Each structure stands twice: as C-alpha cells, then as structure tokens.
Amino acid sequence: MDNSVTKYYKYCDDNIIDWTQEAEAVIKDIAQHVEDISLSNKLPPARTESYINITTLDGNPMCVKLNAEGLQIVGNVHDDKTQESSSNTRYETPYALLSDVCPAYVHSFGSSLVNALSKLEQQLDQEHNMSDVE
C-alpha cells in the first residue's frame, strides 16, 4: 500500500469514519439513478468498510465495497464479495462507478440534470417577469 493510502487509513482510524453513514449518503445520492440500492444485510459494516448492494438500471446486480480507498465492485450478485481483489478498479465516486458499468445511468443522470436546469430557467423567467410588472 502506498504511503498516501496508509496516511489516509491513519486519518480514518484517528477520526473514526462511520462507514454505515457514508454508505447511506451514497445510497441517498444515487438512488434515483439505479433500480435498487441498499446496505448489505449479510456483509455487516466494519470499522474500515461497508458494503452496498446495487441493481443498475440495466438490471445488473452487484455488491460494492466502500472504504477509504473508494468504491469497488466485489461481487456480481448482492451480498457477495467473492470477487474482492486488490487489483479491482477503485472509483472515487459512485457516479464514476455507475458511468463505467451502466450506460443507462449516464442517460438518467443527464435527464435529471436537464430537468433541474429547465426548472431553474422557469423560476428565473418567473422572477424576471415579476420584476418587469413592478
């Protein structure tokens, strides 16, 4: 393990990261862009990691480990970490992971961004129209 990762683990140990809380934040962040997502019931969170079950919009199930190194796919079914390996790709964000493994995610995220921008544009137009009336 390189020195920067060792230092990060030391930081995590000293400052006690709650990996369940971190996993729940990931779940909340991407729930609208996956078919199903939840904390693993069979792989309990530990002091250094937590496991998330995801079914992508393409219908592909996976188990993802979340720890100080990021996120990595460790199984091709829920509650499974049999494919855990130090050579697995690590992702800094859930968005990077989903972008890499699920083309439907990219469309879903893009659509939600377009919708949010359209809504903002409508609000700005309404505010502008109100200021013209005054």
Side-chain angles (χ1 to χ4, degrees):
M1 196 174 328
D2 75 27
N3 195 29
S4 63
V5 173
T6 303
K7 286 180 183 176
Y8 190 74
Y9 271 119
K10 172 99 172 93
Y11 170 82
C12 294
D13 289 344
D14 290 347
N15 291 293
I16 312 295
I17 291 177
D18 181 342
W19 290 104
T20 298
Q21 187 176 13
E22 292 293 319
E24 287 170 348
V26 167
I27 290 168
K28 182 178 177 188
D29 233 15
I30 63 172
Q32 72 181 32
H33 303 295
V34 296
E35 187 176 305
D36 185 51
I37 188 166
S38 63
L39 285 172
S40 173
N41 291 325
K42 295 182 181 175
L43 302 172
R47 188 174 61 91
T48 59
E49 64 199 17
S50 194
Y51 293 89
I52 303 170
N53 291 324
I54 299 173
T55 302
T56 67
L57 291 173
D58 298 330
N60 297 320
M62 65 181 71
C63 185
V64 174
K65 180 168 89 171
L66 172 65
N67 66 11
E69 295 178 347
L71 298 114
Q72 62 180 299
I73 299 169
V74 295
N76 289 329
V77 295
H78 292 175
D79 301 313
D80 173 54
K81 61 178 183 173
T82 58
Q83 295 182 4
E84 188 168 0
S85 167
S86 61
S87 64
N88 287 1
T89 302
R90 286 169 174 76
Y91 300 91
E92 287 186 28
T93 67
Y95 319 110
L97 184 149
L98 289 173
S99 292
D100 194 34
V101 301
C102 180
Y105 162 76
V106 176
H107 182 265
S108 174
F109 183 81
S111 293
S112 72
L113 184 58
V114 167
N115 291 339
L117 290 173
S118 295
K119 189 175 180 179
L120 178 61
E121 183 179 36
Q122 289 173 355
Q123 288 174 343
L124 291 174
D125 285 346
Q126 287 175 349
E127 290 173 11
H128 179 73
N129 289 339
M130 292 175 117
S131 65
D132 285 347
V133 173
E134 295 172 3

